[in-house]
Protein backbone atom coordinates (compact mmCIF):
# COMPACT_ATOMS: atom_id res chain seq x y z
CA UNK A 1 0.00 0.00 0.00
CA UNK A 2 -0.69 2.38 -1.48
CA UNK A 3 0.48 0.00 -4.20
CA UNK A 4 3.31 -1.85 -2.51
CA UNK A 5 3.46 -5.52 -3.52
CA UNK A 6 -0.18 -5.23 -4.58
CA UNK A 7 -0.27 -8.12 -7.07
CA UNK A 8 1.27 -11.61 -6.94
CA UNK A 9 3.66 -11.31 -9.89
CA UNK A 10 4.80 -7.72 -9.43
CA UNK A 11 5.56 -8.47 -5.76
CA UNK A 12 8.40 -10.64 -7.11
CA UNK A 13 9.75 -7.80 -9.26
CA UNK A 14 10.32 -4.82 -6.93
CA UNK A 15 12.37 -2.67 -9.32
CA UNK A 16 9.34 -2.53 -11.63
CA UNK A 17 6.77 -2.15 -8.84
CA UNK A 18 5.28 1.35 -8.85
CA UNK A 19 4.38 2.10 -5.23
CA UNK A 20 2.94 5.63 -5.25
CA UNK A 21 2.07 8.36 -7.73
CA UNK A 22 1.78 12.04 -6.81
CA UNK A 23 0.64 14.98 -8.92
CA UNK A 24 0.17 18.51 -7.58
CA UNK A 25 0.62 22.14 -8.47
CA UNK A 26 4.03 22.96 -7.02
CA UNK A 27 3.47 25.03 -3.84
CA UNK A 28 6.74 26.94 -4.25
CA UNK A 29 6.38 27.33 -8.04
CA UNK A 30 2.64 27.50 -8.85
CA UNK A 31 3.12 27.83 -12.59
CA UNK A 32 4.34 24.25 -12.62
CA UNK A 33 3.10 20.76 -11.78
CA UNK A 34 5.23 18.21 -9.95
CA UNK A 35 4.80 14.58 -10.99
CA UNK A 36 6.32 11.85 -8.82
CA UNK A 37 6.40 8.10 -9.28
CA UNK A 38 8.00 5.82 -6.71
CA UNK A 39 9.35 2.30 -7.20
CA UNK A 40 10.91 -0.49 -5.11
CA UNK A 41 8.67 -0.88 -2.06
CA UNK A 42 9.83 -0.97 1.55
CA UNK A 43 13.57 -0.50 1.01
CA UNK A 44 15.52 -1.30 4.15
CA UNK A 45 18.18 1.42 4.58
CA UNK A 46 20.82 -1.10 5.72
CA UNK A 47 20.96 -2.86 2.37
CA UNK A 48 24.67 -3.40 1.75
CA UNK A 49 26.64 -4.59 -0.02
CA UNK A 50 24.15 -4.43 -2.91
CA UNK A 51 22.17 -1.25 -2.37
CA UNK A 52 18.92 -0.51 -4.19
CA UNK A 53 18.80 0.98 -7.69
CA UNK A 54 16.51 1.36 -10.69
CA UNK A 55 16.39 -1.50 -13.18
CA UNK A 56 18.49 -1.06 -16.31
CA UNK A 57 16.06 -3.37 -18.12
CA UNK A 58 12.89 -1.50 -17.12
CA UNK A 59 11.19 1.28 -19.08
CA UNK A 60 9.69 3.70 -16.56
CA UNK A 61 6.97 6.09 -17.76
CA UNK A 62 4.78 8.87 -16.37
CA UNK A 63 1.64 9.27 -18.47
CA UNK A 64 -0.76 12.20 -18.85
CA UNK A 65 -4.23 12.14 -20.38
CA UNK A 66 -5.44 15.65 -21.19
CA UNK A 67 -8.56 14.92 -23.26
CA UNK A 68 -10.40 12.37 -21.11
CA UNK A 69 -10.01 9.31 -23.33
CA UNK A 70 -8.00 7.22 -20.86
CA UNK A 71 -4.96 7.23 -23.15
CA UNK A 72 -1.73 9.15 -22.79
CA UNK A 73 -1.31 12.32 -24.85
CA UNK A 74 1.96 13.09 -23.07
CA UNK A 75 4.43 10.49 -21.79
CA UNK A 76 7.77 11.00 -20.09
CA UNK A 77 10.12 8.05 -20.57
CA UNK A 78 13.04 7.13 -18.30
CA UNK A 79 15.78 4.56 -19.00
CA UNK A 80 18.66 3.80 -16.63
CA UNK A 81 22.22 2.54 -17.12
CA UNK A 82 24.47 1.20 -14.35
CA UNK A 83 28.27 1.22 -14.54
CA UNK A 84 30.74 -0.80 -12.48
CA UNK A 85 33.90 1.25 -12.08
CA UNK A 86 36.03 -1.37 -10.32
CA UNK A 87 35.02 -4.97 -11.07
CA UNK A 88 37.54 -6.34 -8.58
CA UNK A 89 35.91 -5.12 -5.37
CA UNK A 90 32.70 -6.23 -3.69
CA UNK A 91 32.16 -2.73 -2.28
CA UNK A 92 29.47 -0.27 -3.35
CA UNK A 93 31.91 2.50 -2.44
CA UNK A 94 35.62 2.39 -1.71
CA UNK A 95 35.73 5.63 0.29
CA UNK A 96 33.58 8.63 1.19
CA UNK A 97 31.29 9.92 -1.55
CA UNK A 98 31.37 13.70 -1.21
CA UNK A 99 30.51 14.58 -4.80
CA UNK A 100 28.12 12.90 -7.20
CA UNK A 101 31.03 12.39 -9.62
CA UNK A 102 33.39 10.81 -7.06
CA UNK A 103 35.09 7.68 -8.37
CA UNK A 104 34.85 6.19 -4.88
CA UNK A 105 31.25 5.36 -5.81
CA UNK A 106 31.68 2.05 -7.59
CA UNK A 107 28.20 1.62 -9.08
CA UNK A 108 26.91 4.93 -10.44
CA UNK A 109 23.64 5.07 -12.31
CA UNK A 110 22.74 7.46 -15.13
CA UNK A 111 19.54 7.89 -17.09
CA UNK A 112 17.88 9.46 -20.09
CA UNK A 113 14.61 11.40 -20.25
CA UNK A 114 12.40 11.61 -23.31
CA UNK A 115 8.96 13.10 -23.97
CA UNK A 116 6.40 11.53 -26.31
CA UNK A 117 3.54 13.71 -27.58
CA UNK A 118 0.03 12.84 -28.76
CA UNK A 119 1.27 12.20 -32.30
CA UNK A 120 3.71 9.57 -31.07
CA UNK A 121 6.74 11.75 -31.69
CA UNK A 122 9.46 11.28 -29.08
CA UNK A 123 11.94 14.01 -28.20
CA UNK A 124 14.99 13.15 -26.12
CA UNK A 125 15.30 15.82 -23.42
CA UNK A 126 18.56 14.66 -21.83
CA UNK A 127 20.96 11.73 -21.55
CA UNK A 128 23.65 10.80 -19.05
CA UNK A 129 21.89 12.40 -16.07
CA UNK A 130 23.31 11.16 -12.77
CA UNK A 131 21.38 9.66 -9.87
CA UNK A 132 22.70 10.13 -6.34
CA UNK A 133 23.99 7.08 -4.48
CA UNK A 134 21.91 5.50 -1.75
CA UNK A 135 22.24 7.01 1.71
CA UNK A 136 24.71 4.63 3.34
CA UNK A 137 25.90 6.39 6.48
CA UNK A 138 28.00 9.24 7.90
CA UNK A 139 31.33 7.84 6.70
CA UNK A 140 30.27 6.86 3.19
CA UNK A 141 27.78 9.67 2.44
CA UNK A 142 28.68 12.39 4.99
CA UNK A 143 26.59 15.11 3.33
CA UNK A 144 23.76 13.31 1.64
CA UNK A 145 21.61 16.40 1.03
CA UNK A 146 24.46 17.85 -1.04
CA UNK A 147 24.63 14.71 -3.19
CA UNK A 148 20.86 14.76 -3.70
CA UNK A 149 20.88 18.44 -4.66
CA UNK A 150 23.57 17.71 -7.26
CA UNK A 151 21.11 15.27 -8.82
CA UNK A 152 18.53 18.00 -9.55
CA UNK A 153 18.89 18.42 -13.31
CA UNK A 154 17.45 21.15 -15.52
CA UNK A 155 15.80 20.05 -18.75
CA UNK A 156 14.78 22.06 -21.83
CA UNK A 157 11.47 23.88 -21.61
CA UNK A 158 11.73 24.94 -17.97
CA UNK A 159 11.57 21.38 -16.64
CA UNK A 160 13.44 19.89 -13.66
CA UNK A 161 14.07 16.21 -12.95
CA UNK A 162 15.39 14.08 -10.10
CA UNK A 163 15.78 10.31 -9.92
CA UNK A 164 17.14 8.54 -6.87
CA UNK A 165 16.50 7.33 -3.36
CA UNK A 166 14.07 9.18 -1.11
CA UNK A 167 12.31 8.60 2.20
CA UNK A 168 9.01 6.77 1.85
CA UNK A 169 6.17 9.30 1.92
CA UNK A 170 3.16 7.01 2.23
CA UNK A 171 2.09 6.11 5.75
CA UNK A 172 -0.12 3.20 6.81
CA UNK A 173 -0.45 0.61 9.58
CA UNK A 174 0.19 -2.38 7.32
CA UNK A 175 0.63 -4.83 10.16
CA UNK A 176 -2.79 -4.14 11.63
CA UNK A 177 -4.76 -3.48 8.44
CA UNK A 178 -3.92 -6.86 6.96
CA UNK A 179 -4.66 -8.58 10.26
CA UNK A 180 -8.34 -8.93 9.38
CA UNK A 181 -8.85 -5.20 8.92
CA UNK A 182 -7.75 -4.22 12.40
CA UNK A 183 -7.89 -0.44 12.95
CA UNK A 184 -5.99 0.05 16.20
CA UNK A 185 -7.95 3.11 17.41
CA UNK A 186 -11.13 0.96 17.21
CA UNK A 187 -9.79 -2.55 17.70
CA UNK A 188 -11.68 -3.04 20.97
CA UNK A 189 -14.79 -3.18 18.74
CA UNK A 190 -13.42 -5.82 16.33
CA UNK A 191 -15.56 -8.94 15.88
CA UNK A 192 -12.67 -11.40 16.11
CA UNK A 193 -11.00 -10.13 19.25
CA UNK A 194 -11.44 -7.23 21.64
CA UNK A 195 -7.86 -6.01 21.77
CA UNK A 196 -6.86 -3.07 23.96
CA UNK A 197 -7.02 0.25 22.11
CA UNK A 198 -3.61 1.40 20.90
CA UNK A 199 -2.18 4.04 18.59
CA UNK A 200 -1.44 3.09 15.01
CA UNK A 201 2.01 1.81 14.05
CA UNK A 202 3.51 3.34 10.90
CA UNK A 203 4.79 0.33 8.96
CA UNK A 204 6.51 2.52 6.37
CA UNK A 205 8.40 4.63 8.89
CA UNK A 206 12.16 4.65 8.25
CA UNK A 207 12.05 2.83 4.93
CA UNK A 208 12.99 4.25 1.54
CA UNK A 209 11.86 4.14 -2.07
CA UNK A 210 13.35 5.06 -5.43
CA UNK A 211 11.77 8.20 -6.83
CA UNK A 212 11.39 9.73 -10.27
CA UNK A 213 10.30 13.35 -9.79
CA UNK A 214 9.58 15.75 -12.62
CA UNK A 215 8.55 19.42 -12.40
CA UNK A 216 7.14 20.89 -15.61
CA UNK A 217 5.20 23.98 -16.70
CA UNK A 218 1.43 23.47 -16.54
CA UNK A 219 1.27 24.23 -20.27
CA UNK A 220 3.45 21.17 -20.87
CA UNK A 221 0.55 18.95 -19.76
CA UNK A 222 -2.80 20.60 -20.51
CA UNK A 223 -4.79 20.96 -23.72
CA UNK A 224 -7.94 23.04 -23.34
CA UNK A 225 -9.22 21.74 -20.01
CA UNK A 226 -7.13 22.39 -16.88
CA UNK A 227 -7.90 18.84 -15.66
CA UNK A 228 -5.38 16.09 -16.43
CA UNK A 229 -5.22 12.39 -15.60
CA UNK A 230 -1.90 10.96 -14.42
CA UNK A 231 -0.60 7.43 -14.00
CA UNK A 232 2.77 5.69 -13.95
CA UNK A 233 3.84 2.46 -15.62
CA UNK A 234 6.81 0.13 -15.76
CA UNK A 235 7.46 -2.17 -18.70
CA UNK A 236 9.83 -5.02 -19.54
CA UNK A 237 10.81 -6.59 -22.83
CA UNK A 238 9.01 -9.82 -23.62
CA UNK A 239 12.05 -12.11 -23.63
CA UNK A 240 14.99 -12.36 -21.20
CA UNK A 241 17.81 -14.80 -21.92
CA UNK A 242 20.47 -15.78 -19.37
CA UNK A 243 23.99 -16.45 -20.61
CA UNK A 244 26.70 -17.89 -18.35
CA UNK A 245 30.03 -17.66 -20.19
CA UNK A 246 33.02 -19.22 -18.45
CA UNK A 247 34.93 -17.00 -16.07
CA UNK A 248 32.75 -13.90 -16.33
CA UNK A 249 29.62 -12.49 -14.79
CA UNK A 250 26.22 -13.81 -15.75
CA UNK A 251 24.94 -11.85 -18.75
CA UNK A 252 21.36 -11.28 -19.74
CA UNK A 253 19.96 -10.36 -23.13
CA UNK A 254 16.55 -8.71 -23.40
CA UNK A 255 14.59 -8.88 -26.62
CA UNK A 256 11.20 -8.07 -28.07
CA UNK A 257 8.71 -5.25 -27.51
CA UNK A 258 8.16 -3.72 -24.11
CA UNK A 259 5.20 -5.13 -22.18
CA UNK A 260 3.59 -3.24 -19.29
CA UNK A 261 3.97 -5.10 -15.99
CA UNK A 262 2.98 -2.40 -13.48
CA UNK A 263 0.80 0.68 -13.36
CA UNK A 264 -0.63 3.02 -10.77
CA UNK A 265 -2.99 5.97 -10.81
CA UNK A 266 -5.18 6.42 -7.74
CA UNK A 267 -3.70 5.09 -4.50
CA UNK A 268 -5.02 1.73 -3.27
CA UNK A 269 -7.03 0.98 -6.44
CA UNK A 270 -5.46 -2.36 -7.38
CA UNK A 271 -4.62 -3.00 -3.75
CA UNK A 272 -8.19 -2.88 -2.42
CA UNK A 273 -10.71 -2.81 -5.28
CA UNK A 274 -9.41 -5.44 -7.72
CA UNK A 275 -9.84 -9.14 -6.81
CA UNK A 276 -6.77 -11.34 -6.41
CA UNK A 277 -7.21 -13.27 -9.64
CA UNK A 278 -7.30 -10.08 -11.73
CA UNK A 279 -4.53 -8.04 -10.07
CA UNK A 280 -1.69 -9.02 -12.42
CA UNK A 281 -4.00 -8.63 -15.42
CA UNK A 282 -5.00 -5.14 -14.20
CA UNK A 283 -1.32 -4.16 -14.21
CA UNK A 284 -1.15 -4.88 -17.96
CA UNK A 285 -4.19 -2.79 -18.93
CA UNK A 286 -4.63 0.80 -20.08
CA UNK A 287 -6.88 3.16 -18.09
CA UNK A 288 -9.28 3.40 -21.03
CA UNK A 289 -10.28 -0.23 -20.41
CA UNK A 290 -11.05 0.12 -16.71
CA UNK A 291 -14.82 -0.23 -17.14
CA UNK A 292 -14.10 -3.96 -16.85
CA UNK A 293 -13.06 -3.36 -13.22
CA UNK A 294 -15.88 -0.96 -12.33
CA UNK A 295 -17.86 -3.52 -10.35
CA UNK A 296 -15.12 -3.54 -7.71
CA UNK A 297 -15.64 0.22 -7.36
CA UNK A 298 -19.44 0.15 -7.44
CA UNK A 299 -19.59 -2.72 -4.91
CA UNK A 300 -16.31 -2.60 -2.97
CA UNK A 301 -15.57 -5.71 -0.92
CA UNK A 302 -14.25 -3.65 1.98
CA UNK A 303 -17.57 -1.77 2.30
CA UNK A 304 -19.25 -5.12 2.88
CA UNK A 305 -16.58 -6.27 5.32
CA UNK A 306 -16.57 -3.23 7.61
CA UNK A 307 -20.05 -3.96 9.10
CA UNK A 308 -19.00 -7.58 9.64
CA UNK A 309 -15.66 -6.77 11.24
CA UNK A 310 -17.16 -4.01 13.41
CA UNK A 311 -20.67 -5.18 14.34
CA UNK A 312 -23.26 -2.48 15.03
CA UNK A 313 -20.78 0.25 14.03
CA UNK A 314 -21.83 0.58 10.37
CA UNK A 315 -25.56 -0.30 10.18
CA UNK A 316 -26.38 2.29 7.52
CA UNK A 317 -23.50 1.15 5.34
CA UNK A 318 -24.60 -2.47 5.74
CA UNK A 319 -28.09 -1.57 4.48
CA UNK A 320 -26.89 0.43 1.46
CA UNK A 321 -27.25 -1.68 -1.69
CA UNK A 322 -26.95 0.88 -4.47
CA UNK A 323 -23.86 1.04 -6.72
CA UNK A 324 -21.30 3.43 -5.26
CA UNK A 325 -21.66 6.40 -7.58
CA UNK A 326 -19.52 8.44 -5.18
CA UNK A 327 -16.51 6.13 -5.57
CA UNK A 328 -17.16 5.90 -9.29
CA UNK A 329 -16.81 9.69 -9.53
CA UNK A 330 -13.78 9.92 -7.23
CA UNK A 331 -11.79 7.16 -8.91
CA UNK A 332 -13.07 6.54 -12.45
CA UNK A 333 -14.54 9.69 -14.00
CA UNK A 334 -13.54 12.58 -11.78
CA UNK A 335 -15.94 14.72 -9.78
CA UNK A 336 -18.31 16.98 -11.78
CA UNK A 337 -18.67 20.67 -10.95
CA UNK A 338 -21.29 21.38 -8.31
CA UNK A 339 -20.83 18.17 -6.30
CA UNK A 340 -18.22 19.51 -3.88
CA UNK A 341 -18.59 23.22 -4.73
CA UNK A 342 -19.87 25.27 -7.70
CA UNK A 343 -16.37 25.57 -9.17
CA UNK A 344 -14.51 22.47 -7.99
CA UNK A 345 -14.18 19.71 -10.59
CA UNK A 346 -11.84 16.92 -11.58
CA UNK A 347 -14.24 15.53 -14.18
CA UNK A 348 -12.61 14.18 -17.34
CA UNK A 349 -15.65 12.67 -19.07
CA UNK A 350 -17.62 9.46 -19.30
CA UNK A 351 -14.68 7.13 -19.94
CA UNK A 352 -14.14 5.12 -16.78
CA UNK A 353 -10.39 5.18 -16.15
CA UNK A 354 -8.28 4.85 -13.02
CA UNK A 355 -6.18 8.00 -13.22
CA UNK A 356 -5.00 10.43 -10.57
CA UNK A 357 -6.92 13.53 -11.69
CA UNK A 358 -5.54 17.01 -11.09
CA UNK A 359 -7.25 20.33 -11.74
CA UNK A 360 -4.24 22.52 -12.49
CA UNK A 361 -6.29 25.72 -12.14
CA UNK A 362 -6.80 25.20 -8.39
CA UNK A 363 -3.94 26.96 -6.60
CA UNK A 364 -1.85 25.11 -4.02
CA UNK A 365 -2.64 25.53 -0.34
CA UNK A 366 0.51 27.04 1.12
CA UNK A 367 -0.74 27.88 4.60
CA UNK A 368 -1.87 25.00 6.85
CA UNK A 369 -2.82 22.43 4.20
CA UNK A 370 -5.17 19.72 5.45
CA UNK A 371 -3.88 16.15 5.09
CA UNK A 372 -7.46 14.98 4.48
CA UNK A 373 -7.58 16.98 1.26
CA UNK A 374 -11.07 17.64 -0.07
CA UNK A 375 -12.65 15.73 2.85
CA UNK A 376 -10.92 18.23 5.13
CA UNK A 377 -12.03 21.24 3.09
CA UNK A 378 -8.70 21.63 1.29
CA UNK A 379 -9.50 21.59 -2.43
CA UNK A 380 -5.83 21.40 -3.42
CA UNK A 381 -5.50 17.92 -1.92
CA UNK A 382 -6.53 14.38 -2.81
CA UNK A 383 -8.57 13.47 -4.79
CA UNK A 384 -7.58 16.64 -6.61
CA UNK A 385 -4.23 15.15 -7.49
CA UNK A 386 -2.21 13.91 -4.56
CA UNK A 387 0.36 15.73 -2.44
CA UNK A 388 3.16 13.83 -0.71
CA UNK A 389 1.62 14.34 2.75
CA UNK A 390 -2.04 13.62 1.94
CA UNK A 391 -3.47 10.90 4.20
CA UNK A 392 -4.88 8.90 1.32
CA UNK A 393 -5.48 5.78 3.42
CA UNK A 394 -7.79 7.62 5.82
CA UNK A 395 -9.47 9.55 3.00
CA UNK A 396 -10.26 6.43 0.98
CA UNK A 397 -11.20 4.42 4.07
CA UNK A 398 -13.75 7.07 5.08
CA UNK A 399 -15.06 7.25 1.52
CA UNK A 400 -15.52 3.47 1.35
CA UNK A 401 -17.15 3.59 4.80
CA UNK A 402 -19.83 5.89 3.35
CA UNK A 403 -18.70 9.42 4.21
CA UNK A 404 -18.94 10.57 0.57
CA UNK A 405 -22.23 8.86 -0.40
CA UNK A 406 -24.37 11.95 0.49
CA UNK A 407 -22.54 13.92 -2.21
CA UNK A 408 -24.43 11.86 -4.80
CA UNK A 409 -27.28 10.43 -2.71
CA UNK A 410 -28.62 12.95 -0.16
CA UNK A 411 -31.04 10.35 1.19
CA UNK A 412 -28.18 8.43 2.80
CA UNK A 413 -27.02 9.23 6.33
CA UNK A 414 -23.46 8.08 6.99
CA UNK A 415 -22.75 6.12 10.15
CA UNK A 416 -21.04 8.23 12.79
CA UNK A 417 -17.89 6.12 12.47
CA UNK A 418 -17.51 6.97 8.77
CA UNK A 419 -16.19 10.46 9.52
CA UNK A 420 -13.73 9.35 12.21
CA UNK A 421 -12.48 5.92 11.07
CA UNK A 422 -8.70 5.93 10.61
CA UNK A 423 -5.58 3.88 11.20
CA UNK A 424 -4.44 6.59 13.60
CA UNK A 425 -1.19 7.76 12.02
CA UNK A 426 0.62 11.03 11.38
CA UNK A 427 2.73 11.64 8.32
CA UNK A 428 6.38 10.97 7.50
CA UNK A 429 9.10 13.57 6.82
CA UNK A 430 8.89 15.85 3.79
CA UNK A 431 10.66 18.80 2.18
CA UNK A 432 9.05 22.17 1.34
CA UNK A 433 10.54 22.14 -2.16
CA UNK A 434 11.44 19.82 -5.02
CA UNK A 435 11.49 16.82 -4.89
CA UNK A 436 9.37 17.19 -1.71
CA UNK A 437 9.95 13.66 -0.39
CA UNK A 438 12.41 13.67 2.49
CA UNK A 439 16.07 12.70 2.74
CA UNK A 440 16.31 8.89 2.70
CA UNK A 441 17.16 7.08 5.89
CA UNK A 442 20.68 5.72 6.18
CA UNK A 443 21.58 2.19 7.15
CA UNK A 444 23.85 3.51 9.88
CA UNK A 445 20.98 5.31 11.61
CA UNK A 446 18.24 2.71 11.09
CA UNK A 447 18.80 -0.88 12.25
CA UNK A 448 18.06 -3.61 9.73
CA UNK A 449 14.55 -5.02 10.17
Amino acid sequence: MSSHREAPEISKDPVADSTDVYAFVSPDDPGTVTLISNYIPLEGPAAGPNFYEFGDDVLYQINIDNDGDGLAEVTYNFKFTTTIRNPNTFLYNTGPITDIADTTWNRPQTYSVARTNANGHTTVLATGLTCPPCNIGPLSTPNYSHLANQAHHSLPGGRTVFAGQRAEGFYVDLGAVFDLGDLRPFEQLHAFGHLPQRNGVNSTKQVNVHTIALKVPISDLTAGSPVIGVWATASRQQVKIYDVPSGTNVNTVNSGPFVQVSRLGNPLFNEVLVPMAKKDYWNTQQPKDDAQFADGVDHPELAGLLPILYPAVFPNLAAYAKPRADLDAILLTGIPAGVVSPTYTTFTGSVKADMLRLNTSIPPTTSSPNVLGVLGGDLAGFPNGRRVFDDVFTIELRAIAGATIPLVDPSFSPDGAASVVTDGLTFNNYLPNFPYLGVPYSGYDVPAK
Side-chain angles (χ1 to χ4, degrees):
M1 298 171 94
S2 77
S3 188
H4 299 52
R5 299 172 51 81
E6 85 291 346
E9 287 304 312
I10 200 61
S11 68
K12 305 167 190 174
D13 188 9
V15 297
D17 187 353
S18 177
T19 66
D20 284 286
V21 172
Y22 304 91
F24 51 92
V25 177
S26 310
D28 54 339
D29 192 2
T32 68
V33 164
T34 294
L35 308 168
I36 298 175
S37 181
N38 290 343
Y39 297 86
I40 315 180
L42 306 174
E43 293 182 8
N50 297 299
F51 289 89
Y52 296 96
E53 61 193 16
F54 293 103
D56 289 0
D57 53 354
V58 178
L59 171 62
Y60 300 94
Q61 295 176 303
I62 298 176
N63 308 279
I64 295 91
D65 171 21
N66 58 28
D67 65 3
D69 62 356
L71 290 169
E73 279 71 52
V74 178
T75 299
Y76 296 97
N77 311 282
F78 304 84
K79 285 285 291 178
F80 292 83
T81 301
T82 304
T83 302
I84 300 176
R85 285 188 167 121
N86 180 359
N88 298 316
T89 179
F90 74 92
L91 294 169
Y92 182 76
N93 58 297
T94 55
I97 306 172
T98 59
D99 187 274
I100 203 170
D102 277 355
T103 57
T104 51
W105 180 18
N106 194 40
R107 198 173 170 86
Q109 212 170 32
T110 59
Y111 64 102
S112 64
V113 184
R115 183 181 187 273
T116 303
N117 65 18
N119 297 322
H121 177 72
T122 298
T123 301
V124 176
L125 301 177
T127 61
L129 302 177
T130 307
C131 302
C134 289
N135 191 6
I136 303 166
L139 300 183
S140 294
T141 49
N143 187 349
Y144 192 82
S145 293
H146 170 67
L147 297 174
N149 288 337
Q150 286 187 307
H152 294 189
H153 301 290
S154 296
L155 301 176
R159 309 175 181 105
T160 304
V161 68
F162 169 89
Q165 192 177 52
R166 290 281 89 189
E168 171 65 85
F170 178 61
Y171 46 105
V172 66
D173 191 344
L174 278 175
V177 167
F178 284 110
D179 185 14
L180 291 176
D182 181 18
L183 301 170
R184 291 188 209 254
F186 309 99
E187 59 190 350
Q188 77 279 8
L189 303 174
H190 200 287
F192 295 110
H194 302 292
L195 301 173
Q197 181 175 333
R198 290 175 291 177
N199 293 326
V201 175
N202 187 357
S203 303
T204 61
K205 184 178 181 180
Q206 296 185 321
V207 300
N208 299 322
V209 291
H210 262 60
T211 293
I212 296 173
L214 184 66
K215 186 168 71 169
V216 301
I218 291 174
S219 59
D220 210 31
L221 307 175
T222 56
S225 170
V227 179
I228 58 173
V230 180
W231 71 101
T233 56
S235 301
R236 288 188 174 279
Q237 288 178 276
Q238 280 187 328
V239 179
K240 187 171 188 175
I241 302 171
Y242 288 86
D243 181 28
V244 190
S246 176
T248 65
N249 290 330
V250 173
N251 296 321
T252 59
V253 178
N254 298 283
S255 181
F258 278 94
V259 177
Q260 181 179 299
V261 297
S262 175
R263 72 161 164 136
L264 177 60
N266 281 297
L268 304 169
F269 191 100
N270 196 12
E271 189 99 28
V272 175
L273 300 175
V274 178
M276 182 74 71
K278 294 183 178 180
K279 285 180 177 293
D280 291 310
Y281 172 69
W282 182 92
N283 268 331
T284 70
Q285 298 297 289
Q286 296 296 315
K288 71 177 181 65
D289 299 316
D290 282 342
Q292 63 186 308
F293 305 106
D295 186 65
V297 178
D298 293 334
H299 303 94
E301 182 181 10
L302 182 57
L305 288 174
L306 284 173
I308 297 171
L309 296 175
Y310 297 90
V313 177
F314 297 99
N316 294 349
L317 181 66
Y320 194 74
K322 297 178 184 179
R324 292 295 300 272
D326 58 320
L327 299 180
D328 209 62
I330 292 169
L331 299 172
L332 290 177
T333 64
I335 300 171
V339 174
V340 172
S341 76
T343 57
Y344 175 91
T345 180
T346 57
F347 188 65
T348 55
S350 60
V351 175
K352 293 188 175 184
D354 170 38
M355 303 184 294
L356 186 62
R357 290 168 172 83
L358 173 67
N359 187 329
T360 60
S361 70
I362 296 176
T365 302
T366 55
S367 177
S368 302
N370 192 309
V371 298
L372 295 179
V374 175
L375 275 186
D378 185 350
L379 302 187
F382 182 78
N384 179 30
R386 179 187 176 189
R387 301 166 300 191
V388 292
F389 50 78
D390 282 338
D391 187 358
V392 293
F393 179 82
T394 295
I395 295 168
E396 292 198 352
L397 181 61
R398 292 183 182 182
I400 288 174
T404 54
I405 294 176
L407 293 174
V408 297
D409 185 354
S411 68
F412 178 78
S413 297
D415 300 294
S419 62
V420 295
V421 65
T422 179
D423 61 353
L425 295 180
T426 55
F427 53 79
N428 292 333
N429 64 323
Y430 307 105
L431 300 177
N433 42 39
F434 186 84
Y436 302 100
L437 293 171
V439 175
Y441 301 98
S442 78
Y444 177 86
D445 295 315
V446 179
K449 295 185 178 181

